[in-house]
Amino acid sequence: MKKVSLVALALLAPLLLAGCGSSDKGGRHTGADGSATPRPAAPAAAAPSGDGTSATPSSGAPSPGRTAPGGAAQGPRNTVPDAELTPATGSFTKKEKKYLSGRVPKGMDPAAILQAGQDVCDRLAYTAKVDRDAAVGAVIAGDIKGADAAVNGLCPDQKPLIEAAKGGYADGTHAAPAPGTYRALTKSKDCSWSLDGASGRQHTITVRKGTKTFTSTGCYAWART
């Protein structure tokens, strides 16, 4: 038998020691010194999201700004109780309190949250006065955030803009688009699109039943007609 050199033995020693461990019935790994270490947990499986991509399973806790079915605000759990929703001076109206319910994190001035909502209403009204399509497109593209909640709670006169934005598509790629006729809310010459690979530059398109992919570039947003 060939003699193993001292250098080789020195290199093999750590590997031999590492292999001396064992696992107990509890799934813990016991090292050579007798200490037990927990076995690493397997990563959580990724669940497919509605758009076909993988999404991490939800923890079940509501996220800030999420709207529950029916339009009710579903803010963080540590929000200011309704009974404590009072401004530094004056008082809130019944409508304002309803809007603020569940939206104000503890430690934040409710008047600031209310002002943010009113700013959304003002921006919608001003934009629509100049260019209605631009206002609808901003809602579809998400450039005016919180529009649904602000309109439903503070400025219901702007509901036609929200209705016009429903079912629209912003620039990007969308799987299984809903059948219907859509028009681009910009007349840009850079607007282009493709439906299952068939491309065009018209500013009005018809999505047929069974269409798998709709991609839009430079069109900003599309609204149903």
Side-chain angles (χ1 to χ4, degrees):
M1 180 183 296
K2 294 182 180 180
K3 293 182 178 180
V4 180
S5 67
L6 293 177
V7 176
L9 286 173
L11 293 173
L12 290 171
L15 297 176
L16 292 172
L17 290 173
C20 292
S22 61
S23 297
D24 63 12
K25 293 181 180 180
R28 297 172 297 175
H29 180 73
T30 304
D33 60 356
S35 63
T37 56
R39 178 175 295 175
S49 65
D51 59 1
T53 60
S54 294
T56 304
S58 171
S59 64
S63 59
R66 183 179 297 176
T67 302
Q74 188 178 10
R77 289 182 177 179
N78 58 338
T79 55
V80 177
D82 290 357
E84 298 177 16
L85 290 173
T86 54
T89 59
S91 60
F92 292 128
T93 65
K94 185 177 179 180
K95 181 176 73 173
E96 292 170 342
K97 280 190 174 182
K98 185 177 180 180
Y99 171 75
L100 291 171
S101 178
R103 298 183 187 280
V104 184
K106 288 184 177 179
M108 183 170 286
D109 182 3
I113 301 298
L114 178 62
Q115 184 60 53
Q118 291 174 335
D119 287 345
V120 169
C121 288
D122 292 342
R123 185 178 174 189
L124 280 172
Y126 176 79
T127 305
K129 186 176 180 179
V130 176
D131 186 341
R132 187 177 186 278
D133 280 353
V136 174
V139 174
I140 294 173
D143 286 339
I144 298 183
K145 300 185 183 301
D148 280 11
V151 168
N152 288 327
L154 300 173
C155 50
D157 56 311
Q158 300 300 327
K159 279 187 177 181
L161 297 177
I162 302 300
E163 292 297 322
K166 285 183 178 180
Y169 292 101
D171 273 343
T173 298
H174 308 277
T181 301
Y182 300 82
R183 66 183 181 90
L185 297 180
T186 176
K187 300 300 181 182
S188 172
K189 295 179 180 179
D190 296 326
C191 174
S192 62
W193 52 267
S194 67
L195 294 169
D196 288 347
S199 60
R201 288 187 174 273
Q202 302 94 326
H203 289 81
T204 301
I205 60 172
T206 298
V207 176
R208 302 190 183 283
K209 186 177 181 180
T211 299
K212 296 180 179 179
T213 305
F214 168 44
T215 299
S216 168
T217 304
C219 306
Y220 188 47
W222 296 80
R224 294 182 69 100
T225 59

